[in-house]
Amino acid sequence: MDLGAGLRVVKRRSLGHVSVAIMVAAGIALSGACGGNDGGGGGGGGGDGSPTVGVLLPGGGASRFGQFDKPLIEKKLKELCPDCPAASVAATPDPGVQRQQLEAMITRGVDVLIIAAIDATALRPSVEAAHRAGIPVVAYDRLAEGPISGYVTFDGAVVGRLQGEGLLKAMGTKARGGQIVMMNGATIDPNAGWYKEGALSVLNGKVKIGKSYDTVGWRPENAYVNMTGAIAALGGGDIDGVLAANDSLAGAVISALNARQVRPLPPVTGQDADLVAARRIVRGDQYMTVYKPFKSEADAAVTMAVALGRGQSVDSIATDTVDSPTTKNIPAVLLPSVSVTAGNIKNTLVKDGVYTVDEICAPNLGSACEKAGLI
């Protein structure tokens, strides 16, 4: 089943560009976001103008969602609606537990939900229950199934294309006819199919795909096993590059290559701009990652959620619409991403305040950081 298919139908609204959505969101924050209900649509909730926002994330702690998204969402909610209760945030990597968390928030009576679904299909009955309870749902980062009211993410086709283009550039002369391994994400995540489709739009007809894996649960241990199998089947010296869908998978791929003493390491892609990945890029073990400015995503999602929680329309916020396998014309904000290599890490991750030079440049990376222009 191609769960990415629902993301291929993207309709651009007259506002045109994603940047417009961010400007509109900022305008709402400054002018009307803490005002009254304009009756423009959406679901129930927030009649007093201070809706209770529930947030469901697929990971906490050291994960990208715990490090970046959670605090950014909480900060934007406080900024946008000072009188709103603090967001109720629940995080888990387990789809069954996430469904229980969602049902608990419905019982608690939150006014609006922001959900990054672990398993969109498994969560659908609970999304439908939220809809029946008059609680609008904003799908965050990953497209959820069921009657959702809005969607905020990064354009997955662009993410995949950036990875494919980066890999071909790193492969040099082997970009014509060389052999690669694709370490894709989990099929239960609609974004994984979107990334793969974007990457293949660049790679097809240029390289040979020796092995392609859909990594169960996005789990690094599964990627490690898969990469070990690819090395055994193809031979380490005959792998000219690896398209790894995110940084956790990239780390597992590199560990498998090192365990089999594959030298030189082939170029490996990634996504999410994890700190360990930034260090691997500086060291030369990983070629690139895709940086997705999480603040823009969190800001747009909270702006949309607060509007929906007050019963307002989100048409002025969303510049696009997408179709899921269950719902047509979902108002959407699709944000741009940035390719990060050793050559521009200072002007991207450091410049945007994602990490400091000291955080990236661990003591054993002094010469590598100097070569990358970080110190």
Side-chain angles (χ1 to χ4, degrees), residues 25-166:
I28 290 173
L30 292 171
S31 59
C34 289
N37 188 336
D38 71 359
D48 61 354
S50 302
T52 300
V53 180
V55 182
L56 294 168
L57 301 175
S63 75
R64 164 225 150 158
F65 291 96
Q67 283 187 307
F68 298 111
D69 300 81
K70 178 180 180 290
L72 286 169
I73 288 170
E74 291 172 330
K75 181 179 179 181
K76 184 62 179 179
L77 178 62
K78 186 175 181 180
E79 172 192 319
L80 197 59
C81 185
D83 295 329
C84 287
S88 300
V89 182
T92 179
D94 186 310
V97 172
Q98 188 176 61
R99 183 171 177 177
Q100 293 171 3
Q101 291 171 337
L102 174 51
E103 291 167 354
M105 287 190 179
I106 294 172
T107 301
R108 190 182 309 165
V110 299
D111 295 311
V112 62
L113 286 159
I114 298 173
I115 300 174
I118 299 168
D119 185 335
T121 302
L123 204 63
R124 177 180 170 183
S126 298
V127 172
E128 292 171 342
H131 181 72
R132 289 193 298 272
I135 303 171
V137 171
V138 175
Y140 183 75
D141 201 71
R142 304 171 177 183
L143 185 58
E145 293 185 17
I148 62 175
S149 301
Y151 179 39
V152 178
T153 193
F154 294 89
D155 192 321
V158 172
V159 171
R161 287 199 299 271
L162 289 174
Q163 292 174 327
E165 290 164 358

Side-chain angles (χ1 to χ4, degrees), residues 3-374:
L3 292 176
L7 290 168
R8 296 194 191 110
V9 185
V10 179
K11 283 84 73 175
R12 301 290 177 185
R13 294 187 171 185
S14 59
L15 290 176
H17 297 289
V18 168
S19 58
V20 178
I22 303 305
M23 288 188 288
V24 171
I28 290 173
L30 292 171
S31 59
C34 289
N37 188 336
D38 71 359
D48 61 354
S50 302
T52 300
V53 180
V55 182
L56 294 168
L57 301 175
S63 75
R64 164 225 150 158
F65 291 96
Q67 283 187 307
F68 298 111
D69 300 81
K70 178 180 180 290
L72 286 169
I73 288 170
E74 291 172 330
K75 181 179 179 181
K76 184 62 179 179
L77 178 62
K78 186 175 181 180
E79 172 192 319
L80 197 59
C81 185
D83 295 329
C84 287
S88 300
V89 182
T92 179
D94 186 310
V97 172
Q98 188 176 61
R99 183 171 177 177
Q100 293 171 3
Q101 291 171 337
L102 174 51
E103 291 167 354
M105 287 190 179
I106 294 172
T107 301
R108 190 182 309 165
V110 299
D111 295 311
V112 62
L113 286 159
I114 298 173
I115 300 174
I118 299 168
D119 185 335
T121 302
L123 204 63
R124 177 180 170 183
S126 298
V127 172
E128 292 171 342
H131 181 72
R132 289 193 298 272
I135 303 171
V137 171
V138 175
Y140 183 75
D141 201 71
R142 304 171 177 183
L143 185 58
E145 293 185 17
I148 62 175
S149 301
Y151 179 39
V152 178
T153 193
F154 294 89
D155 192 321
V158 172
V159 171
R161 287 199 299 271
L162 289 174
Q163 292 174 327
E165 290 164 358
L167 186 62
L168 291 178
K169 182 177 181 180
M171 290 172 65
T173 58
K174 294 181 180 179
R176 288 284 180 182
Q179 180 169 243
I180 70 165
V181 173
M182 291 191 72
M183 198 65 63
N184 309 301
T187 56
I188 62 172
D189 179 356
N191 282 356
W194 208 9
Y195 303 146
K196 185 196 297 187
E197 186 177 323
L200 289 174
S201 73
V202 174
L203 299 173
N204 277 340
K206 294 182 180 177
V207 295
K208 176 184 177 183
I209 300 172
K211 291 286 184 182
S212 181
Y213 302 93
D214 295 320
T215 310
V216 176
W218 285 96
R219 294 186 181 278
E221 58 268 30
N222 294 331
Y224 183 93
V225 171
N226 290 339
M227 192 65 209
T228 300
I231 295 168
L234 303 175
D238 292 323
I239 297 173
D240 300 312
V242 182
L243 194 296
N246 75 3
D247 290 334
S248 294
L249 303 188
V253 163
I254 292 166
S255 293
L257 290 165
N258 283 332
R260 298 303 180 274
Q261 299 183 341
V262 176
R263 294 292 183 271
L265 284 173
V268 179
T269 70
Q271 177 187 182
D272 288 335
D274 291 347
L275 178 57
V276 289
R279 290 171 176 167
R280 286 195 299 262
I281 289 170
V282 170
R283 189 185 300 117
D285 292 344
Q286 181 174 327
Y287 176 70
M288 63 86 71
T289 187
V290 177
Y291 164 46
K292 300 182 296 188
F294 305 122
K295 184 178 185 302
S296 298
E297 187 179 28
D299 286 357
V302 173
T303 302
M304 191 177 280
V306 170
L308 288 167
R310 292 183 173 133
Q312 299 169 348
S313 170
V314 297
D315 286 349
S316 63
I317 301 169
T319 54
D320 304 294
T321 63
V322 301
D323 296 342
S324 78
T326 61
T327 308
K328 302 294 184 183
N329 296 318
I330 301 164
V333 175
L334 303 181
L335 298 160
S337 304
V338 180
S339 177
V340 174
T341 65
N344 70 347
I345 201 166
K346 184 175 183 179
N347 290 326
T348 52
L349 302 185
V350 175
K351 182 180 178 181
D352 285 5
V354 179
Y355 306 116
T356 65
V357 169
D358 287 343
E359 286 174 321
I360 295 171
C361 295
N364 63 333
L365 292 178
S367 60
C369 280
E370 187 174 356
K371 183 178 178 182
L374 288 171

